[in-house]
Amino acid sequence: MKTTLITTFTAITLALIANGAFAQQHKIIYAGSLLAFEDQKVKTEQTLVITDNTITAIKSGYLTKAELNLPDADVINLKNQFVMPGLIDMHVHVTFERDAKANPHRWATEYDADYALRSIKYLQRTLDAGFTSVRDLGSDHKVIFPLKRAIERNDINGPRIFAAGNTISPTGGHADMHGYRKDITDAVTGGIGICNGADDCSRAVREVIKSGADVIKITATGGVLSNTAAGVNQQLTDAELIAIVDTAHHLGRKVTAHAHGTQGIKAALKAGVDSIEHGSYLDKEAIKLFKKTGAYLVPTLLAGATVSEEVLTNPNMPPAIADKVREVTPKMQASFKLALKNKVNIAFGTDSGVSRHGLNANEFSLMVNNGMSEAQAIKSATIHAAKLLGKSALIGDLSVGKQADIISVNGSPLKNIDVLKNVQFVMKAGQVYKQ
């Protein structure tokens, strides 16, 4: 009986192979201009060969299917396009989008499924904008991880997601709920990331990792958009920060810290975080700590620009938030310039969700307008972002063996960064999503 089953299975397998069921899928891309490697040199008239989800060859000239011995390959003609790696946004929130006109109490009337279904359009817009990978830094684990798995199964379209899940925050901190009666907040808060004291914060890290976290996000300081007049100073204690970072690193996870106030930034860097989000109030000592530790700054200039515009037009913005918007956002650009001048590692991040999803490329313009070269800005969203993710072997540039995350635009972003606001072609892992 066993021999008969093996024989039957073998026969079926051979028949499937003969009919092409397991055949590799090949694509050939003709790139008029190609920015592929870390040296930023643009090459013209290049041929890329994609096998399944991987780049398997890059050759000079436009080689035919016959020359490549790939008679069944699909040919994608981008001879009039500037071809480059898929972009990476290191700070998004794909499960919501700030809207001054939306019902502010929908958290009390909607289910997790409402947030997940609404997110589908946000994910599509982000992918259409050329962002083939994102790092989601603060969405409930019951929503973000099902969305991540749905994308991996190709049930829905979206960028590759690296997610933090629930944020680690002290009680009353930036990631806790504010602005309602205590009995209401007590009933709906107490999420798995809320902690107090070093031991409890170690517990919270383990709990968040257990839920599926790829990275740990913490609120080292107060936040602009939390509805409490608590400022943007340090919130987690030094002992709590050290416990969080040690626990996360022992479990193979990087840690990124939401941090505005100077003291909180420095405390997080001393504790060993891998990156700082926002970094609104930098000083010389903070810069030295960045340089000493090799940590990255993810500046999120677009978030500051977005809420600065909103405070002028939204009369319903709570005073506790509006006051912090006016105080903090003007400082962000100065801190970015200070970090840039001192050659701090910088990775691209928008805080989309505060701004509109799909408009992520607006961050490039803000970075360039504040002194960054076009080449540096592109690196921040490709090579440097991949390195911060710990995924340089997979994504971040176009070289043989990497995932085929490829986009194209009309014209060179090295000459005009704004062309990245209108992406023409998007391929993620060898699959075409926009052409």
Side-chain angles (χ1 to χ4, degrees), residues 87 124-131 358-361 407 420 423 426 434:
L87 303 170
Q124 182 71 64
R125 291 170 186 169
T126 303
L127 184 60
D128 285 345
F131 289 82
L359 301 181
N360 311 56
I407 67 170
L420 291 174
V423 170
V426 177
K434 180 179 182 180

Side-chain angles (χ1 to χ4, degrees), residues 167-178 194-197 201 218-241 244 258-265 267-268 324:
T167 300
I168 305 295
S169 173
T171 297
H174 175 53
D176 205 353
M177 176 169 277
H178 303 272
I194 304 301
C195 62
N196 300 285
C201 286
I218 67 175
T219 57
T221 74
V224 173
L225 295 180
S226 49
N227 189 14
T228 176
V232 291
N233 298 318
Q234 184 173 342
Q235 290 188 337
L236 287 163
T237 67
D238 291 354
E240 289 169 337
L241 287 167
I244 289 166
H258 156 103
H260 287 290
T262 310
Q263 204 58 40
I265 293 170
K324 285 181 287 184

